Amino acid sequence: MKPGIHPSYGPVVFRDRAAGHAFLTRSTMTSDKTIDWEDGNTYPVVDVEISNVSHPFYTGTARVLDTAGRVERFERRYGTRGAQ
């Protein structure tokens, strides 16, 4: 890698504001806000709106769309294709 053209890569805390969950990882993101972490060190913190803790796909609360039921409801409401 060429020196001086890549952003610095270091520890950052990502905090999910919806669920109140935070995790420490490494990233090139930066922030002016800091947080005192469990290990006693201070890290920059990046607030995110959603993470695996609050996303419906990962929590199991995702809704499955019933496409067959939607088609039948449409046909009941507006008729079938062959009936013109």
Side-chain angles (χ1 to χ4, degrees):
M1 292 193 316
K2 287 185 176 180
I5 63 169
H6 299 284
S8 61
Y9 183 73
V12 177
V13 173
F14 286 93
R15 181 172 47 191
D16 183 351
R17 300 301 276 173
H21 177 73
F23 55 94
L24 177 66
T25 187
R26 295 178 53 89
S27 177
T28 58
M29 292 191 71
T30 59
S31 175
D32 295 333
K33 295 186 275 183
T34 59
I35 189 170
D36 293 328
W37 194 243
E38 301 159 353
D39 61 2
N41 294 327
T42 302
Y43 298 107
V45 63
V46 177
D47 291 325
V48 293
E49 294 183 21
I50 198 161
S51 71
N52 65 328
V53 176
S54 61
H55 194 280
F57 178 78
Y58 295 106
T59 60
T61 58
R63 295 185 337 201
V64 176
L65 295 177
D66 180 23
T67 56
R70 288 176 174 231
V71 170
E72 291 168 359
R73 185 172 51 205
F74 179 85
E75 288 177 351
R76 275 197 316 264
R77 196 177 287 168
Y78 300 107
T80 60
R81 289 184 182 183
Q84 289 187 4

